[in-house]
Amino acid sequence: MAAAGAGLLLLAGVGGLAWWLTPPEPTPQRLAEAYAAQAARDAGKLEPLLCVRHRFPYDQAEVRIGFADGQTLSWMNKLVDAGLYEDVTAEAHGLTFARTYRATEALRPWVRNKRLCMAAALRFDGMTDVTPLRDRRSAKATARWVVERPAPWFTADEAVSYAVREQLHRPESGRWDWGAQPPVLALPVAFTLQGRQWAVSGAAAADAAP
């Protein structure tokens, strides 16, 4: 009887050791839970990626662009097409060497720190492309960040959308999926097993240029 009891204890010990030595699978749910705290920190850092790289007096009621500045004039005409500005050059009196653009009410909600932004926020939406690595104690995956409340003018006109996308900040790592509805920012994340819990060991740089 004592021998049987000892055998059961030994089996239990072996089973417990096997459980401890067998790492938990890096499932999308487990990795999403591990990334949650990082995601909360990254949310604010990622917001500049929703905005164009250049600063411009978007917060002013009117702007004047010289006729010689063809690149800026082309950009402003795209924003006129989007309904964000009106070309009011014809209202000017006398000889003028610039075009005058007047901001519309549609522009104001999408200006942050003198930059035009195409959406309100990004929301973490889980992990995909989970790949366990050979040592079974590390893994890599992709964090999905979904665009929240995109600007109506951004989604209404493909030509305007493309022009704005070309001007956006770009993440140092990761990529945009503009074909998704709504668009998705995919960022690579690395994980390691600490004890029996998965933890973030490396995430794509979320900071955009100031």
Side-chain angles (χ1 to χ4, degrees):
M1 201 63 187
L8 288 174
L9 287 174
L10 179 60
L11 286 174
V14 170
L17 180 62
W19 174 84
W20 180 257
L21 293 177
T22 303
E25 289 293 322
T27 63
Q29 181 177 351
R30 284 174 177 154
L31 298 190
E33 291 170 355
Y35 183 64
Q38 178 81 29
R41 291 191 295 270
D42 279 355
K45 296 179 183 178
L46 287 169
E47 282 192 4
L49 299 178
L50 299 171
C51 305
V52 297
R53 298 185 296 275
H54 62 268
R55 293 182 187 273
F56 186 79
Y58 294 109
D59 53 345
Q60 294 183 11
E62 289 187 356
V63 293
R64 300 179 76 245
I65 311 297
F67 287 138
D69 190 352
Q71 186 174 1
T72 304
L73 287 173
S74 177
W75 171 249
M76 293 302 299
N77 289 335
K78 282 286 191 300
L79 301 187
V80 170
D81 293 341
L84 302 181
Y85 282 91
E86 296 173 332
D87 186 341
V88 294
T89 307
E91 296 180 11
H93 298 288
L95 187 63
T96 178
F97 297 95
R99 299 202 75 84
T100 302
Y101 298 89
R102 181 177 298 155
T104 68
E105 288 297 323
L107 172 69
R108 290 182 175 85
W110 307 104
V111 176
R112 301 176 202 157
N113 196 25
K114 295 187 181 295
R115 288 192 171 103
L116 178 66
C117 303
M118 58 82 170
L122 283 163
R123 172 178 55 83
F124 174 57
D125 191 46
M127 308 299 300
T128 61
D129 304 326
V130 174
T131 305
L133 300 184
R134 186 172 297 177
D135 63 2
R136 301 181 66 190
R137 300 190 67 82
S138 54
K140 60 182 181 180
T142 300
R144 282 173 47 90
W145 289 85
V146 176
V147 169
E148 289 265 88
R149 302 185 300 283
W153 50 265
F154 181 76
T155 57
D157 188 314
E158 178 57 29
V160 170
S161 175
Y162 179 80
V164 172
R165 292 190 325 242
E166 288 296 293
Q167 296 294 324
L168 292 178
H169 281 298
R170 288 175 171 79
E172 294 181 22
S173 299
R175 59 181 175 80
W176 281 103
D177 180 359
W178 296 112
Q181 294 298 326
V184 171
L185 175 64
L187 294 176
V189 186
F191 296 86
T192 55
L193 198 60
Q194 298 181 2
R196 293 193 58 80
Q197 298 292 324
W198 287 99
V200 174
S201 60
D207 298 282

